[in-house]
Amino acid sequence: MLSRLPELLPTPRPLHLCHRLDREASGLLLLARRPDLAAPLQRSLDQGALRRGYLAVAAGTLAAPADCRDLSIDLRIARDPHDPRLRQALPQGAPGGQPARTRCRVLAPLS
């Protein structure tokens, strides 16, 4: 896919892969248009300076008070012991893994 992207740009040019963001979840790519920007982008990601945002549509009932619109989920993330390519959220209080925080905001109920 990366080899095809340059030709899809209005002005074809080489792209430089910095990172595959959340490969297990979405497969998003972080690309630089110039080689001199690839290393600073990678450093920013390594230092936690980049913020990621996602939009999801979900069905069902949220297990939170009806007036709660902002949620925070704090769990540790570790490799899946059955498939090291995947990651899993560890149960509350479990040792190991890396801390992870997911912030959620309910924009509107799905009717």
Side-chain angles (χ1 to χ4, degrees):
M1 177 171 178
L2 186 58
S3 63
R4 296 279 323 254
L5 282 176
E7 63 194 54
L8 299 175
L9 295 172
T11 305
R13 66 176 74 169
L15 296 171
H16 308 275
L17 179 63
C18 300
H19 196 71
R20 287 187 64 184
L21 302 170
D22 299 331
R23 177 178 54 174
E24 296 86 0
S26 60
L28 294 171
L29 301 174
L30 177 62
L31 304 167
R33 286 187 170 188
R34 298 185 350 223
D36 59 312
L37 296 178
L41 277 173
Q42 181 62 51
R43 270 194 306 278
S44 294
L45 184 66
D46 292 343
Q47 295 168 355
L50 297 180
R51 296 185 64 198
R52 303 172 195 185
Y54 303 88
L55 178 64
V57 176
T61 304
L62 188 62
D67 62 344
C68 180
R69 294 183 59 85
D70 293 302
L71 303 167
S72 181
I73 302 167
D74 294 295
L75 293 172
R76 300 182 75 75
I77 304 295
R79 291 200 184 278
D80 184 316
H82 306 293
D83 188 343
R85 296 172 299 162
L86 302 177
R87 297 196 182 267
Q88 65 179 7
L90 298 175
Q92 197 83 33
Q98 297 178 6
R101 171 172 288 157
T102 300
R103 291 185 185 97
C104 307
R105 174 173 290 154
V106 177
L107 300 177
L110 184 62
S111 322

